[in-house]
Amino acid sequence: MRSRIVFAVIEILLAADAAMFVYTAAMDSFNIGSICGLSWCMILLLICICRAKFVQILSKLWLGRGRIFLIAAALLLTVQVSAAVFFSVRMIQSADRPTDEELPVIVLGCTVKDDRPSVMLSARIDTAFAYLTAHPS
C-alpha cells in the first residue's frame, strides 16, 4: 500500500515536470535542454506506470546474459546524473559570485516575432539593463 502511494506521488511529480518542459517549449524556448528534460520525464513516467512489467524485464535481463548491459547502463546513468549535478552546482556558484571588476556584457540573441522581442529575449534585455544600471562602469 505504501509503495502505491510513493509511486503515485512520483508519477504526479513526473507528470508536472513534463508539463513544465512542454510549457517552456511552448513559450519559445524549445531547445535541446527542453527536449532532453521532456524525454527523461516521459521515460521515467512510463517506467513508473508500467513498473511491474519493467521489473519483470529487468529480472529476466539480470538472470540472463543482460547483466553486463544492466551494469553498464547503471554506470552510464550514474555518470550522467553526476555530471548534471556537478555542472548545475558550478553554474549556481558562478551566478552567485559577486564581482567588482569591470566586465563586458553580452546579450545573446533570440527569436524576434513581428518586430518584437520574444519573452526570452525581453528577459535577457531587461537583465542586461538592470546590470548596466547597477554597474555603470
Side-chain angles (χ1 to χ4, degrees), residues 51-124:
R51 65 184 168 273
K53 185 70 173 170
F54 182 71
V55 169
Q56 182 182 13
I57 291 169
L58 287 180
S59 298
K60 285 181 182 178
L61 282 173
W62 186 257
L63 297 174
R65 296 182 181 208
R67 183 177 290 195
I68 293 174
F69 169 76
L70 288 176
I71 292 170
L75 287 174
L76 181 62
L77 184 62
T78 301
V79 168
Q80 288 178 339
V81 169
S82 299
V85 168
F86 173 77
F87 289 121
S88 296
V89 168
R90 295 293 296 153
M91 286 189 291
I92 291 168
Q93 287 174 342
S94 296
D96 288 342
R97 188 177 338 144
T99 180
D100 291 334
E101 62 185 81
E102 294 180 14
L103 297 173
V105 174
I106 299 172
V107 179
L108 300 177
C110 202
T111 306
V112 176
K113 293 181 180 178
D114 299 326
D115 297 331
R116 297 185 65 211
S118 63
V119 174
M120 184 75 76
L121 183 56
S122 294
R124 292 176 185 178

Side-chain angles (χ1 to χ4, degrees), residues 6-66:
V6 169
F7 275 102
V9 169
I10 291 171
E11 290 167 5
I12 290 168
L13 290 174
L14 286 170
D17 208 20
M20 181 205 57
F21 281 111
V22 170
Y23 174 75
T24 57
M27 295 302 295
D28 197 60
S29 334
F30 195 68
N31 54 33
I32 192 70
S34 60
I35 292 170
C36 289
L38 180 60
S39 300
W40 275 108
C41 286
M42 297 312 290
I43 289 168
L44 292 173
L45 184 61
L46 186 63
I47 288 171
C48 285
I49 292 171
C50 304
R51 65 184 168 273
K53 185 70 173 170
F54 182 71
V55 169
Q56 182 182 13
I57 291 169
L58 287 180
S59 298
K60 285 181 182 178
L61 282 173
W62 186 257
L63 297 174
R65 296 182 181 208

